[in-house]
Amino acid sequence: MPVYTEYELPDTLVSYCDKSNVALTIAAVDREDVPLVYVNQAFLNLTGYSADDVLGQNCRFLQAGAATEEERAAMREFIDDEEISAGRFRVTNSRANGETFQNFVFMTRLRKPDGETRLILGSQFDLTSAAERQNVKADLAANDSSLLRNADDLAAISRGFGLAMIGSAKVLSESLSTMATIIYREG
C-alpha cells in the first residue's frame, strides 16, 4: 500500500491497518489542511478512489457538496479541539463515481507518549442501506449533536431505531483505535 512519502509512519501501524477489513485512514494534523497520509484497501474499496487520488488531500473531498454544514462543523470542532480524544460523525460522502453514501466516521487522535497529537485515525462504515431500511435519516440528523457528545446516547438511540450496525461499528472502531494508539505510541 503506498504511503504518502513525505510522512513517516511506524511500520507496525501500517501493517496493522493494512490487515484490517475496516476502511481506515490516517491524517496528519501537524500538516497544513490535515492531509491523508495513509489509506487502506478497504477505504479504497468503499470510496472507489485510488491511493494516488486521495493521499495528500484532506478528507473533505469526499463530501463533494453532499455534506451538510452541521456535519462539516462537527468534524471541524473535533479536529480543532485538542482536548477531544475521539469523535463519531455521520456524514454524507460521495464515491469516485458520484454515488452518495451515509458514512459513519469514527476519528481518534493518535498521541505520542508526551500527549502530542500528530495523527488522526479515521474508520469509516457505510450505513446507507441501514438508514434507508429504517427510514431514519431525519431522526438521525435531529439527534446528531447528542450522539456526538454521549456514547451512551448513541447506543440507546441506535437500539431504538434498530441500527445495531452503529453500535457494532462503534465497538469495532474503538477496538481498532485502541490497537492503533498502542502501536503508534510504541513505534
Side-chain angles (χ1 to χ4, degrees):
M1 167 58 52
V3 174
Y4 191 53
T5 57
E6 295 177 17
Y7 205 95
E8 292 281 329
L9 296 174
D11 290 339
T12 51
L13 179 61
V14 171
S15 176
Y16 173 76
C17 293
D18 280 348
K19 293 175 188 173
S20 178
N21 291 324
V22 173
L24 298 174
T25 60
I26 299 175
V29 295
D30 63 348
R31 298 286 169 99
E32 185 177 335
D33 204 29
V34 192
L36 291 174
V37 295
Y38 169 88
V39 295
N40 70 357
Q41 189 60 49
F43 174 82
L44 300 175
N45 295 343
L46 172 66
T47 64
Y49 288 96
S50 72
D52 290 337
D53 293 332
V54 302
L55 292 173
Q57 289 198 59
N58 183 291
C59 262
R60 86 174 64 82
F61 80 92
L62 288 171
Q63 297 169 9
T68 66
E69 182 54 38
E70 292 82 8
E71 291 170 340
R72 288 189 297 271
M75 291 192 299
R76 272 194 311 270
E77 179 183 337
F78 168 79
I79 292 168
D80 292 341
D81 189 345
E82 179 71 25
E83 297 300 313
I84 304 172
S85 293
R88 295 150 190 86
F89 313 94
R90 186 185 60 82
V91 62
T92 305
N93 282 166
S94 294
R95 301 184 206 286
N97 66 7
E99 173 188 347
T100 61
F101 67 103
Q102 295 301 305
N103 194 358
F104 200 61
V105 180
F106 293 81
M107 291 194 288
T108 303
R109 292 181 185 284
L110 296 181
R111 299 179 192 269
K112 285 293 194 180
D114 65 3
E116 179 187 5
T117 301
R118 284 190 226 140
L119 302 171
I120 292 178
L121 174 72
S123 42
Q124 294 84 30
F125 300 88
D126 182 354
L127 295 183
T128 304
S129 61
E132 289 170 353
R133 280 194 311 268
Q134 297 298 322
N135 195 22
V136 296
K137 289 180 183 176
D139 292 329
L140 285 175
N143 288 297
D144 269 351
S145 62
S146 65
L147 291 176
L148 295 174
R149 289 178 176 75
N150 189 322
D152 292 333
D153 286 348
L154 174 63
I157 290 169
S158 65
R159 281 192 305 273
F161 288 132
L163 294 178
M165 288 177 58
I166 291 176
S168 298
K170 176 184 176 292
V171 169
L172 184 56
S173 175
E174 288 174 349
S175 297
L176 289 164
S177 296
T178 299
M179 289 302 298
T181 300
I182 290 167
I183 291 168
Y184 183 65
R185 284 187 180 166
E186 292 177 0

